[in-house]
């Protein structure tokens, strides 16, 4: 192992029962990397983190760790002592240790996080509990930070803070997250855990999507060729007596090997098959709020809100933790009477509700009884499905159909709530933080279903990409109970929302400076040598992209990070240089095209 490599897994094997989570796979972590670890729910991502920090031992294979490596882990649901306050949690009695500088580090972290050191853990929201757990890990000054779904329970401000922190930290980071925008901002490498294997892709999530599409197509073609050869060999071995009498023994052995390979090939698990039972069409009006105000004591949650929600609206409710998004949902649905103002509901409303706390699940009920108690059939539109088949659509095998809810993981619970909600006819879907715990592929399928849903959607989410891809309008909390309507999703809200005073002042200064600049001189005509240069740019770009693709393919080999970490650094430097060259070429291309068009 190279001296700089932090952790190396070689031929790693880990299984629970007969289900291999790590199947003879390799993995290595270099200093300064920010690795986004992705994969299906149940693929073994959290188990891999436990292997990396030593909580779980491999069944077989080798794990090598840099001597004295300090590792800190922040779990999905942090375990904090409710009897302590925040400072006591972050800074236990230092008289028993030699870390005398810890209190000052903790104080600095608390100031950055805006946390009250005297606040009791027992009274903290989910978002603040996550911040405390992150601060506790950072106070340890780790060389490797392991984060399991760190954006769950964080609002937009908290997510932006975490992004900035990770971009500026000196330690290596491995992050399990479903937040695609977050991965695009922070990741330097994407590692996917798929069928027991770890596949490495340099770059962020968007770059991974492109490479993964190409990789899956190549795998599909390779499997098709393999199956064709196997079918030919199977046909040959079944020929008549004469053929069998003279058959080549080497060919027989090859067929046996092909059969063994086909048996051991783990097929990619299918996607969740999402479909929703559409209820009776609602009236055009879903809800109308007139001068609605709602208070808890002296705290104003909603202040004089008037809005109208119509059939087929897809509305995103956004705002910081504690702003009252769930409260506003309950007011809109008539489940909570406002302090003042009126709420008028439309006719024929059938509401499906996805609760972020999954509180509608009975822990002791089986999966079958949760979906459709007392009946073996589920009606989805004009289709009638057996409940076992319906559960398989949500990736629950028949063997698990009679398992209790309490045996499910967080992601499986989320899928079960969706399955239960979609099995009932609805014309209004209310989704309160549906993206927590769902894997990326299920998220993308859910997005598609909501885009095609013929009813009305009310969505609370901090997943910026999900909001962009689903909602047509946004209700944003802007402080002191004021809610403002915007057209579009998260990015549109960012562009339209009022600027903070300091930002508005800065923009005004920039405008004044721009106005003082002299107008550019009239553009000159394009020359013959510039036309020649312009014609050659596409080929130059194609050559650089081909070189870029070859280097990227080399980096996708997980063993490279273990066997030749110096080469990884060298290839990444080459990729950065190629990216710079491509940026300059594209800029030059655009400038010459503009000059040509002006001539």
């Amino acid at each position: 192992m190279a001296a700089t490599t932090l952790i190396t897994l070689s031929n790693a094997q880990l299984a629970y029962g007969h289900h291999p989570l790590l199947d003879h796979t390799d993995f290595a972590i270099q200093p300064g990397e920010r690795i986004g670890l992705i994969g299906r729910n149940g693929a073994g991502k959290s188990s891999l983190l436990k292997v990396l920090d030593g909580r779980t031992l491999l069944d077989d294979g080798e794990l090598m760790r840099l001597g004295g490596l300090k590792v800190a882990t922040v779990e999905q649901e942090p375990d904090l002592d409710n009897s302590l306050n925040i400072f006591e949690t972050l800074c236990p009695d230092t008289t028993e240790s030699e870390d005398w500088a810890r209190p000052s580090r903790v104080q600095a972290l608390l100031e950055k996080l805006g946390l009250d050191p005297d606040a009791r853990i027992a009274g903290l929201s989910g978002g603040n509990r996550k911040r405390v757990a992150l601060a506790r890990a950072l106070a340890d000054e780790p060389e490797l930070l392991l984060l399991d779904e760190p954006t769950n329970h964080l609002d937009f401000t908290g997510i932006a803070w975490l992004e900035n922190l990770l971009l500026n930290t000196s330690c290596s980071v491995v992050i399990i997250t479903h937040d695609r925008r977050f991965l695009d901002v922070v990741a330097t490498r994407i590692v996917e855990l798929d069928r027991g294997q770890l596949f490495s892709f340099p770059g962020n999530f968007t770059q991974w999507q492109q490479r993964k599409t190409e990789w899956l197509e190549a795998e599909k073609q390779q499997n098709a060729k393999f199956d064709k050869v196997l079918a030919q060999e199977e046909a040959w071995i079944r020929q008549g007596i004469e053929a069998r009498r003279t058959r080549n023994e080497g060919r027989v052995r090859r067929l046996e090997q092909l059969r063994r390979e086909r048996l051991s090939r783990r097929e990619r698990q299918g996607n969740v098959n999402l479909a929703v039972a559409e209820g009776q069409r609602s009236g055009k009006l879903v809800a109308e709020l007139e001068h609605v105000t709602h208070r808890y004591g002296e705290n104003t949650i909603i202040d004089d809100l008037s809005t109208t929600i119509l059939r087929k609206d897809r509305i995103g409710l956004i705002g910081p933790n504690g702003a009252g998004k769930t409260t506003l949902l309950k007011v809109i649905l008539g489940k909570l009477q406002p302090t003042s103002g009126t709420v008028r509901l439309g006719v024929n409303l059938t509401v499906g509700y996805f609760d972020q706390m999954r509180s509608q699940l009975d822990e002791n009920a089986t999966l079958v009884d949760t979906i459709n108690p007392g009946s073996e059939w589920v009606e989805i539109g004009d289709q009638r499905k057996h409940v076992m088949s319906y559960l398989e659509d949500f990736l629950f095998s028949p063997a698990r159909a009679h398992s209790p809810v309490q045996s499910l993981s967080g992601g499986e619970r989320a899928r079960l709530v969706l399955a239960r909600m979609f099995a009932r006819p609805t014309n209004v879907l209310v989704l309160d933080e549906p993206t927590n715990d769902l894997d990326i592929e299920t998220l993308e399928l859910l997005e598609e279903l909501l885009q095609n849903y013929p009813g009305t959607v009310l969505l609370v989410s901090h997943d910026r990409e999900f909001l962009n891809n689903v909602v047509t309008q946004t209700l944003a909390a802007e402080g002191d109970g004021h809610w403002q309507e915007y057209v579009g999703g998260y990015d549109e809200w960012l562009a339209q929302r009022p600027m903070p005073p300091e930002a508005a002042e800065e923009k005004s200064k920039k405008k004044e400076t721009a106005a003082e600049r002299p107008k550019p001189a009239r553009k000159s005509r394009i020359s013959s040598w510039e036309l020649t240069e312009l014609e050659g740019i596409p080929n130059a770009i194609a050559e650089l992209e081909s070189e870029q693709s070859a280097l990227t393919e080399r980096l996708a080999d997980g063993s490279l990070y273990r066997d030749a970490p110096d080469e990884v650094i060298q290839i990444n430097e080459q990729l950065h240089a190629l990216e710079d060259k491509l940026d300059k070429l594209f800029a030059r291309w655009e400038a010459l095209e503009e000059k040509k068009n002006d001539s």
Side-chain angles (χ1 to χ4, degrees), residues 124-181:
L124 297 182
S125 66
N128 279 337
R129 289 178 72 90
K130 184 62 69 77
R131 286 174 182 245
V132 170
L134 285 163
R136 182 173 62 178
L138 292 168
D140 291 338
E141 294 188 316
E143 296 159 275
L144 175 61
L145 181 61
L146 307 177
L147 303 177
D148 195 347
E149 297 286 6
T151 63
N152 279 8
H153 308 302
L154 290 183
D155 54 26
F156 296 137
T157 304
I159 292 170
W161 165 82
L162 181 58
E163 287 174 349
N164 187 59
L165 182 146
L166 294 180
L167 289 173
N168 290 288
T169 187
S170 59
C171 67
S172 295
V173 190
V174 178
I175 313 150
I176 297 174
T177 183
H178 62 265
D179 190 321
R180 294 157 289 181
R181 180 73 67 90

Side-chain angles (χ1 to χ4, degrees), residues 19 39-43 194-195 266-272 392 394-397 400 412 415 439 441-442:
H19 180 53
R40 288 287 183 84
N41 291 136
D194 182 15
R195 292 164 286 177
R266 293 179 65 188
E267 295 287 0
R268 181 172 173 79
Q269 188 182 29
N271 286 325
V272 175
E392 284 191 275
F394 288 82
L395 306 184
F396 294 110
S397 66
R400 301 194 64 190
E412 289 170 331
R415 289 208 307 269
D439 60 51
E441 288 173 273
T442 305

